[in-house]
Amino acid sequence: MLYSSSRNEFTLSFYCKDYFSFFFCCMCVCVCVLFTFAHFFAYIVCYSLSSLSPLCIFTLEQSHSLFFFFAVAVSNSIPLPIMSNEELLDEVNLIVDTFPDECRHVEEEPYAFLLRLPYHFELQVTLPPHSYPAESYPQLFVTQAPNSQLNSAFSTAMHKRMREALPLGIPMCLMLVALAQQVVEEIQEQKAFDVAELQEQQEAEWETLEHELHELQRKEVSVWSSAPITDRKSKFVAHLAPVECLADVREVMRHLRSIKSIAIAAHPTIWAYRFTDADGVLHQDCEDDGESGASVKMAFLLEQMQVDGYVVVVTRWFGGILLGPDRFKHISNVTRNILLTIPDIEAELKKGKGGGKR
């Protein structure tokens, strides 16, 4: 039963739309009660006489079947309730009054409310007139989420869990609020687990990269690598190698791309080189490797810092979040950081120590 503010009394309008339906429901209830007593009495009699006559056993079994058939028939004959417009408004107002900090009305949609949830989620719940709650569930729409991926995950989980956990035929907004809060918590726990797992994976990849770079430096090519710059799960590392000709540049690229952890990066080799050959001709060029406009900034730094005889390569591992213009800032910073170590690198080369890591 719902409370009717217009008449200031409890009504049965939610369950019975007219006096005939009310009378029919009462009659069905009375018949069920009487038949239950009759069934119980027949059960006792048949059970006490079952040892005397097989017919009594048959009667007992048929009594069970007949009662079950009658109960199903009566339950199917009672129509599920459909709320009137006033009752829909009452339920929305009840939710907003019960959860004033989490819920608020939706402008120009009287049968809807907005539910603010933890972790920057927001859900709009709309009660469909002429069918709720007997024939249809509330309409759900995620109006706010931390990102599109979590938006889709939350929407899918809510629609699935609502149909699994909430039955038709009863007001379900109160239960829906609790369900939404539970789903958000589960999604956040899964997100935290995924972030931790991704971080462990990135750390393992970085350790592998360090090992492979060390092997590369020791065996074939002198390559120095900068400390990484990490921003929103994206990682930037610069590599530097001395070159005297284009063949040296190609050899450095080949070796860097042979490293698995570099090869799987979103942008493995964004490069720029600048060297003077034996004839005194200056050679310089650059390549974006899919990061449009990045290598030009690296070439500009080579020229401004008057670097000669080196190729600088930047590797970017994409973390799933777009960085916008910040990615160019990070590429320039790791490039500058590695170029500033050139005096130390040349001093190390003169001592005959080969490549090293910075």
Side-chain angles (χ1 to χ4, degrees):
M1 293 188 294
L2 294 178
Y3 184 73
S4 175
S5 58
S6 60
R7 292 183 294 175
N8 196 27
E9 61 181 0
F10 284 93
T11 69
L12 288 171
S13 60
F14 177 63
Y15 295 100
C16 305
K17 297 303 178 182
D18 49 39
Y19 291 107
F20 176 78
S21 299
F22 175 72
F23 175 76
F24 179 75
C25 291
C26 292
M27 183 181 65
C28 290
V29 171
C30 293
V31 171
C32 286
V33 171
L34 292 175
F35 194 81
T36 300
F37 280 108
H39 173 263
F40 180 71
F41 179 75
Y43 182 87
I44 294 176
V45 172
C46 292
Y47 185 79
S48 61
L49 298 178
S50 59
S51 59
L52 301 178
S53 173
L55 181 61
C56 293
I57 299 177
F58 174 80
T59 305
L60 178 62
E61 294 175 352
Q62 293 302 315
S63 176
H64 281 292
S65 301
L66 183 61
F67 176 75
F68 176 76
F69 173 79
F70 184 79
V72 171
V74 170
S75 63
N76 290 336
S77 66
I78 301 177
L80 290 174
I82 295 178
M83 283 187 173
S84 65
N85 292 343
E86 291 182 358
E87 291 166 340
L88 293 177
L89 290 174
D90 288 343
E91 183 166 1
V92 171
N93 292 332
L94 173 64
I95 294 297
V96 175
D97 293 340
T98 305
F99 305 98
D101 296 332
E102 294 84 5
C103 299
R104 68 178 189 273
H105 292 283
V106 180
E107 296 182 1
E108 300 181 358
E109 293 191 35
Y111 309 129
F113 63 90
L114 283 174
L115 172 60
R116 185 168 59 251
L117 296 162
Y119 312 111
H120 307 289
F121 285 91
E122 190 173 72
L123 180 68
Q124 178 174 321
V125 181
T126 304
L127 307 183
H130 313 302
S131 60
Y132 171 84
E135 301 172 0
S136 61
Y137 286 94
Q139 298 171 359
L140 306 180
F141 178 71
V142 182
T143 59
Q144 181 178 324
N147 55 56
S148 58
Q149 183 178 4
L150 292 179
N151 186 317
S152 177
F154 178 59
S155 178
T156 302
M158 276 302 303
H159 283 88
K160 179 181 178 182
R161 295 281 293 277
M162 178 177 65
R163 283 165 172 76
E164 291 177 349
L166 306 182
L168 289 172
I170 61 172
M172 59 188 77
C173 287
L174 284 172
M175 294 181 289
L176 190 62
V177 171
L179 179 64
Q181 293 172 341
Q182 179 182 352
V183 171
V184 165
E185 292 293 341
E186 292 174 357
I187 289 178
Q188 188 64 20
E189 291 177 2
Q190 182 63 39
K191 177 185 175 183
F193 175 79
D194 293 341
V195 169
E197 187 177 19
L198 178 61
Q199 185 175 0
E200 292 179 359
Q201 181 181 357
Q202 289 179 339
E203 290 176 355
E205 290 176 354
W206 178 243
E207 291 178 359
T208 303
L209 172 62
E210 288 182 323
H211 175 73
E212 292 177 345
L213 279 174
H214 177 72
E215 291 297 317
L216 175 63
Q217 294 159 359
R218 183 177 63 84
K219 292 180 179 179
E220 301 184 29
V221 181
S222 296
V223 177
W224 285 259
S225 298
S226 70
I229 291 179
T230 304
D231 182 10
R232 284 163 280 182
K233 303 179 186 178
S234 288
K235 185 180 294 185
F236 302 82
V237 175
H239 317 282
L240 185 68
V243 293
E244 297 178 352
C245 60
L246 290 176
D248 291 344
V249 175
R250 288 191 291 269
E251 186 69 14
V252 172
M253 297 301 148
R254 184 181 68 82
H255 281 296
L256 287 175
R257 284 187 170 271
S258 69
I259 300 174
K260 181 179 178 181
S261 53
I262 291 180
I264 64 175
H267 307 285
T269 51
I270 308 168
W271 54 262
Y273 65 79
R274 192 170 188 267
F275 66 87
T276 303
D277 63 16
D279 298 327
V281 178
L282 178 65
H283 297 264
Q284 53 187 355
D285 199 0
C286 58
E287 171 60 41
D288 291 328
D289 194 17
E291 193 69 276
S292 180
S295 64
V296 175
K297 302 180 185 301
M298 297 165 59
F300 177 76
L301 285 173
L302 290 174
E303 182 178 358
Q304 290 296 309
M305 299 178 70
Q306 298 181 355
V307 174
D308 190 5
Y310 288 90
V311 58
V312 61
V313 184
V314 172
T315 301
R316 180 196 178 182
W317 290 267
F318 182 58
I321 301 174
L322 298 176
L323 302 184
D326 287 345
R327 66 189 190 277
F328 298 116
K329 178 182 68 176
H330 299 322
I331 290 172
S332 297
N333 285 339
V334 291
T335 301
R336 183 182 295 105
N337 292 342
I338 196 70
L339 293 180
L340 290 174
T341 65
I342 287 180
D344 296 334
I345 292 174
E346 292 180 345
E348 190 172 327
L349 289 174
K350 288 180 181 179
K351 293 179 181 179
K353 292 184 179 180
K357 184 176 184 299
R358 290 288 183 267

